[in-house]
Amino acid sequence: GRSTHYTLAYDYSQAPNVLAWRMLRGDIMRTIDGAYIFTATSDGGTEVRYDLTIELVVPLPGFVKRRAEVRILNTVRELKARAEG
């Protein structure tokens, strides 16, 4: 594997409904854009949507992409469990 380094700029201008970010600089990525979007539900809860777009400088083999997707999904599941705990 290879490590990557990048710097993100966070955008709180739409808080508390949206917390967004974009990449300022990185070594193997062209872009990393993402956001958490919070929406009130009718039962008094909050639905959270996680949007993420990553564009790499070089294409990755399918197995590497799938491995990254699994790591991202696990991170979102851990966040969900913590928020509900």
Side-chain angles (χ1 to χ4, degrees), residues 8-85:
L8 300 176
Y10 290 90
D11 178 1
Y12 301 102
S13 64
Q14 299 178 62
N17 299 322
V18 178
L19 301 175
W21 58 90
R22 64 180 176 82
M23 187 181 78
L24 294 176
R25 63 184 160 274
D27 55 0
I28 66 169
M29 281 146 311
R30 282 194 181 95
T31 59
I32 301 176
D33 297 325
Y36 289 107
I37 300 152
F38 303 93
T39 307
T41 59
S42 60
D43 63 356
T46 303
E47 179 180 282
V48 181
R49 189 176 88 203
Y50 177 65
D51 291 344
L52 182 64
T53 302
I54 300 173
E55 183 182 351
L56 300 171
V57 173
V58 294
L60 287 180
F63 76 94
V64 175
K65 283 184 189 178
R66 286 187 294 280
R67 188 172 178 185
E69 288 169 356
V70 167
R71 291 192 71 172
I72 291 167
L73 289 172
N74 286 340
T75 301
V76 171
R77 285 187 194 107
E78 290 172 16
L79 175 63
K80 180 179 187 283
R82 183 175 286 238
E84 292 176 342

